[in-house]
Amino acid sequence: MAVYGIDLGTTYSCIARIDDVGRPTVLRNIEGADTTPSVVYFESADSVVVGQSAKDATVLDPDHVVQLIKRDMGDVVPREFHGRTYTPEEISARILRKLVDDAKATAGEEARDVVISVPAYFGLAERDATRKAGEIAGLRVLDVVAEPIAAALDYGALEGDEERGDRAVLVYDLGGGTFDTTVLTLRGRELTVLCTDGAKELGGSDFDDRIVAHLVERFRERFPDADDPLSDPQSETQLRKDAEEAKKALSFRERYTVRVMHQGRVEAVELTRGLIEELTRDLLDRTVDITRRTVELAAERGVPSFDDVLLVGGATKMPAVAAALRTQFGFEPRLHNPDLAVARGAAFYALDRAAYMVSSGELSDEQAPDVPETGLTHRPYEISTVASRGYGIRVTDIDTGREYVTHLVHANDGLPASVTDDFFTLRDGQRQVRIQVMEQAGAVESEELAHNTAVAQGTLKIPPGKPARWPFQCVFTLDASGLLTVVATERESGEQIEISIQIGGLSQEAVDEARVAMSRQRIG
Ligand code: ADP
Ligand code: MG
């Protein structure tokens, strides 16, 4: 059995496996490219197109094309096409199917057992939705792995991590739709994440937006009486495609000309690398600010400097990224397989996971992965990571009645984590308390209810006749993989409840139905 690593990206996806001699290999799609646009075109009720052709279809039929679906993972936002509704899991499943089918066509092998990467900041619901997307695509998802961990595994394996001493690594990942930065240490085969931070809505496509705005401005200067090209979906998508092409080209060239066409008029706009850098400087500055936050937290945690700074994500090919990190921090960043590292590292991790699952009996011997003869992967990695979100309880201020969230576990706390705190009843004679477990929703922890998501609840009994402010205890335990359990105890009676998290994603039946429905559809 071969195992595969999949980078299911916001804008581009990639699949890799470990070859016979232990090296990760990216499997090309049938168009011959290493990465596949994460774009899905619902051409008709029984035909779906994924990848570059879907991206091209955006120009002609934008209403049937879905982009950036990863941003909706974990949320309930169905979309309707040709009389059928599709959840984000089902749409992502079609991207996965394309990757796997193409891998079969080009490498001759059916991929079934996979590890899918997820952003470090994904919470429980998003991770669960990612697994379910895999199941809908008919895959066995051995695990999900955080993208910076995967990137570091690829890097560590390349560097021959066994021979080298401890290394502190900063991963700076600027993709199409997201930015994140992570500090981790590699020590032999021990990998420890110290801290991670990022912005969910900051990536290469924001750079494209700036270029589009500039092109439109120049077009309108030239043709003041013409309509706004952005008011026409076709012109807009063409402009977005051209802007992205220009941006990519300008990573290697100094100048590039885009022909802006709208209502039969054409304006050739010359772009230079310097101009793009000027138009997008504030975006880059935001990544620098977030990186600074991460670097400072790492220093507090005993890692004041880095042996390597890895640039991951396609947008780090812009020379301005490395330049900013050099001037702002004195780093010597390295472009490390920016588009492919995550899939390659996920493949390493998949091999490890499968070997472990065979040894623990979760997979049978027949399901054992083919271990390369001269593998780098004979000893599993030990990975320790941090909480991706804060978790807490919804409480009421006894004096003002204000409701807010008190967090017991915070983002970037080392895992496993266990935190105990006391809470109190509100009223005399109160016989029960409703315990509502909340997950931090935004990038930064906040007490506001609206900045948190309810993930579970339970009711604890209180003995009769107790005054207000009667205490009870809550213990939050987050295991090494980020799964949360909460135990609440009333100490006098010994009454105890355990609350485990309901993620609330698709049920198993819904997943099975979606898988059957998808198998009837042509995906290409
Ligand atoms: P994802 O966010 O899906 O993980 P990637 O890491 O593949 O995405 O990064 C995709 C982003 O990288 C896109 O915005 C794309 O335009 C950008 N990109 C790819 N190649 C280049 C390049 N040569 N120069 C600048 N940006 C690039
Ligand atoms: Mg990525």
Side-chain angles (χ1 to χ4, degrees):
M1 181 186 94
V3 290
Y4 294 77
I6 296 180
D7 172 5
L8 181 59
T10 312
T11 53
Y12 287 88
S13 295
C14 181
I15 180 168
R17 71 178 190 90
I18 306 297
D19 71 11
D20 301 339
V21 291
R23 278 181 317 226
T25 326
V26 167
L27 305 173
R28 296 215 165 125
N29 60 24
I30 54 173
E31 292 86 16
D34 286 334
T35 60
T36 301
S38 304
V39 182
V40 183
Y41 173 39
F42 291 87
E43 190 179 35
S44 69
D46 47 28
S47 172
V48 175
V49 177
V50 178
Q52 189 57 49
S53 315
K55 201 167 172 177
D56 295 342
T58 315
V59 177
L60 292 174
D61 192 5
D63 294 344
H64 290 99
V65 176
V66 182
Q67 310 222 32
L68 308 176
I69 191 62
K70 188 170 177 177
R71 287 185 173 164
D72 290 343
M73 291 294 267
D75 291 334
V76 184
V77 275
R79 291 173 170 73
E80 196 181 315
F81 300 104
H82 307 293
R84 289 188 45 179
T85 56
Y86 296 89
T87 60
E89 290 89 328
E90 289 177 283
I91 295 171
S92 297
R94 281 152 177 82
I95 300 171
L96 293 169
R97 194 69 248 167
K98 155 82 174 168
L99 295 173
V100 165
D101 287 348
D102 281 13
K104 185 171 181 195
T106 58
E109 224 180 302
E110 176 83 44
R112 208 180 112 68
D113 294 275
V114 304
V115 164
I116 306 175
S117 63
V118 292
Y121 62 80
F122 260 22
L124 299 173
E126 294 92 332
R127 282 166 203 252
D128 181 65
T130 304
R131 280 178 177 274
K132 284 178 174 153
E135 289 169 23
I136 293 169
L139 304 172
R140 178 160 53 200
V141 183
L142 303 177
D143 208 345
V144 296
V145 64
E147 286 159 9
I149 293 180
L153 290 179
D154 183 40
Y155 157 80
L158 280 180
E159 293 296 300
D161 52 9
E162 304 276 0
E163 293 89 56
R164 298 177 77 151
D166 296 6
R167 333 241 337 125
V169 180
L170 178 108
V171 180
Y172 172 107
D173 181 349
L174 187 61
T178 56
F179 168 67
D180 35 301
T181 178
T182 303
V183 173
L184 41 85
T185 58
L186 282 167
R187 179 181 190 176
R189 300 193 55 99
E190 274 171 45
L191 188 158
T192 307
V193 177
L194 256 84
C195 51
T196 180
D197 203 338
K200 269 167 96 162
E201 309 237 325
L202 174 59
S205 68
D206 299 298
F207 289 67
D208 302 346
D209 287 346
R210 295 293 171 80
I211 300 171
V212 168
H214 176 78
L215 294 173
V216 169
E217 202 182 297
R218 296 289 304 275
F219 179 87
R220 301 201 74 184
E221 272 165 23
R222 175 75 203 290
F223 303 110
D225 55 324
D227 289 352
D228 183 351
L230 296 181
S231 62
D232 171 18
Q234 276 193 22
S235 300
E236 186 196 343
T237 38
Q238 187 64 49
L239 269 171
R240 292 198 58 83
K241 275 184 65 175
D242 293 342
E244 189 187 1
E245 281 312 311
K247 175 190 71 176
K248 288 184 181 178
L250 286 167
S251 293
F252 305 102
R253 300 166 42 174
E254 290 295 335
R255 308 175 175 275
Y256 187 91
T257 301
V258 176
R259 287 158 59 82
V260 183
M261 280 181 278
H262 180 58
Q263 293 178 324
R265 300 190 230 203
V266 184
E267 167 73 346
V269 181
E270 191 189 56
L271 300 170
T272 62
R273 186 188 296 167
L275 173 67
I276 306 265
E277 290 177 2
E278 222 171 90
L279 293 172
T280 58
R281 177 140 307 140
D282 61 308
L283 299 173
L284 196 57
D285 287 348
R286 269 182 70 201
T287 74
V288 167
D289 291 344
I290 294 170
T291 304
R292 185 164 289 118
R293 222 153 68 189
T294 313
V295 167
E296 283 168 5
L297 187 54
E300 279 170 31
R301 295 181 174 189
V303 174
S305 64
F306 306 101
D307 299 290
D308 275 294
V309 174
L310 305 185
L311 300 183
V312 180
T316 60
K317 290 189 220 168
M318 293 184 289
V321 171
L325 295 176
R326 224 175 269 131
T327 52
Q328 296 290 325
F329 302 100
F331 294 156
E332 266 316 316
R334 301 206 301 171
L335 263 184
H336 173 69
N337 283 328
D339 320 286
L340 314 178
V342 171
R344 291 163 51 110
F348 273 123
Y349 183 74
L351 196 60
D352 265 10
R353 267 305 282 166
Y356 170 80
M357 288 166 85
V358 171
S359 69
S360 70
E362 284 171 78
L363 287 178
S364 69
D365 285 344
E366 297 85 77
Q367 293 168 325
D370 314 323
V371 176
E373 285 159 30
T374 55
L376 301 148
T377 43
H378 43 279
R379 203 152 54 82
Y381 286 100
E382 284 168 39
I383 297 175
S384 333
T385 186
V386 291
S388 59
R389 306 281 178 95
Y391 292 94
I393 281 192
R394 175 175 177 158
V395 294
T396 306
D397 186 309
I398 205 162
D399 299 317
T400 63
R402 183 173 86 93
E403 290 196 283
Y404 61 99
V405 175
T406 294
H407 293 90
L408 281 81
V409 179
H410 309 280
N412 285 322
D413 281 356
L415 297 182
S418 185
V419 182
T420 304
D421 204 354
D422 275 334
F423 294 87
F424 304 91
T425 59
L426 277 172
R427 294 178 304 278
D428 292 339
Q430 185 174 338
R431 291 301 313 283
Q432 55 181 42
V433 279
R434 195 165 78 110
I435 296 167
Q436 201 162 8
V437 181
M438 309 293 283
E439 183 180 70
Q440 164 190 345
V444 179
E445 191 174 296
S446 154
E447 284 190 351
E448 297 296 321
L449 285 184
H451 299 161
N452 294 273
T453 317
V455 288
Q457 57 183 17
T459 304
L460 180 71
K461 292 201 193 92
I462 303 291
K466 300 301 180 196
R469 297 181 194 266
W470 186 253
F472 61 95
Q473 187 187 58
C474 287
V475 183
F476 273 51
T477 308
L478 216 56
D479 74 8
S481 67
L483 275 179
L484 175 68
T485 18
V486 176
V487 174
T489 312
E490 196 291 308
R491 268 167 296 206
E492 192 186 83
S493 63
E495 167 85 14
Q496 194 168 73
I497 54 162
E498 183 176 319
I499 309 171
S500 44
I501 304 309
Q502 321 112 18
I503 298 164
L506 298 180
S507 66
Q508 194 56 51
E509 295 83 74
V511 168
D512 292 340
E513 272 173 35
R515 183 172 47 237
V516 172
M518 191 168 112
S519 66
R520 299 208 185 97
Q521 218 166 29
R522 189 171 62 242
I523 293 165

